[in-house]
Amino acid sequence: MVTALLPASLFASSEEARELAMIEASGLAATGDKRLKSMLVPAAATAGGVNFTRAWIDAQPKAKGSEQWRCLAEALYFEARGETVKGQFAVAEVIMNRVKSKRFPSSLCGVINQGTGKKYQCQFTYTCDGYAEVIAEPRAFARVSKVARAIMDGKAPQLTDGATHYHTTAVRPRWSRVYTRTTKIGVHLFYRHTWRTASN
């Protein structure tokens, strides 16, 4: 019989339903607001306090910093301004991972400008594609500037599992066949080198 499979609460009268609602309300009131709030965790919140939403980014104070911060903010603008906030953090993480690697320059500007000067021989295409680097969307730049500040300040959790390379889903570079793919975030695929070192 079908009714045997349904919970008894579906057949409660309106009086029984009111009684159940009163019991639930009484239980919630007894718990107290402070305790209830402590049990609620925003879905996108991370241990570092970052929330991967535009609302969170927009609520952050105006970002500022050194030349290194400016290099990272510009890289995020030209490489990832159309990505989700999480995708922008992931691209920033790759750049930071390169700075930490002995296989790349040891500064943000050094990593970002590696190979610049030779057309299409650079690491980040916007630095060697022959086009002027013009920031035409100030609001988008303000957002990625905040992403750059947060990642430089160590506020964001790891997203890419040590990735040092990425590309959009629209292309498939040769190196993507030999590097280890770690994740996909938005329209970017992330990879790390296949070699191992004594430290890892």
Side-chain angles (χ1 to χ4, degrees):
M1 189 172 176
V2 175
T3 54
L5 300 174
L6 298 172
S9 60
L10 287 179
F11 301 104
S13 67
S14 60
E15 187 176 312
E16 289 170 321
R18 273 195 299 276
E19 192 175 310
L20 288 170
M22 286 174 58
I23 291 168
E24 187 173 301
S26 174
L28 289 171
T31 304
D33 284 347
K34 190 173 180 182
R35 174 77 177 129
L36 286 173
K37 284 178 184 172
S38 74
M39 294 190 295
L40 297 174
V41 178
T46 66
V50 172
N51 191 305
F52 298 117
T53 64
R54 277 195 174 179
W56 183 85
I57 282 291
D58 289 344
Q60 301 309 300
K62 182 178 179 180
K64 57 186 175 182
S66 64
E67 178 191 8
Q68 299 300 313
W69 162 78
R70 178 74 185 194
C71 282
L72 181 56
E74 287 179 0
L76 293 178
Y77 177 82
F78 291 109
E79 292 281 310
R81 73 180 177 274
E83 258 286 12
T84 63
V85 172
K86 189 173 185 180
Q88 291 169 356
F89 271 96
V91 169
E93 183 180 311
V94 166
I95 296 169
M96 295 296 280
N97 288 343
R98 286 188 174 201
V99 172
K100 294 172 192 170
S101 170
K102 292 182 180 173
R103 297 182 177 270
F104 296 95
S106 60
S107 71
L108 289 165
C109 293
V111 162
I112 291 159
N113 293 305
Q114 188 177 13
T116 299
K118 303 172 191 170
K119 194 162 185 179
Y120 299 118
Q121 297 297 308
C122 54
Q123 296 293 308
F124 296 90
T125 307
Y126 81 92
T127 68
C128 66
D129 60 7
Y131 296 104
E133 292 148 27
V134 177
I135 295 171
E137 299 172 47
R139 191 169 180 191
F141 184 73
R143 283 187 176 129
V144 295
S145 295
K146 294 175 184 182
V147 171
R149 183 75 270 158
I151 202 129
M152 288 178 73
D153 292 344
K155 292 183 178 176
Q158 295 293 304
L159 297 171
T160 68
D161 195 18
T164 51
H165 291 72
Y166 65 86
H167 65 81
T168 68
T169 53
V171 297
R172 189 172 181 227
R174 279 181 301 200
W175 54 259
S176 68
R177 297 178 198 125
V178 293
Y179 290 177
T180 303
R181 183 169 150 187
T182 62
T183 193
K184 177 182 183 289
I185 300 174
V187 297
H188 285 100
L189 300 172
F190 295 84
Y191 301 80
R192 66 170 175 263
H193 292 293
T194 51
W195 58 72
R196 307 291 289 174
T197 65
S199 63
N200 62 10

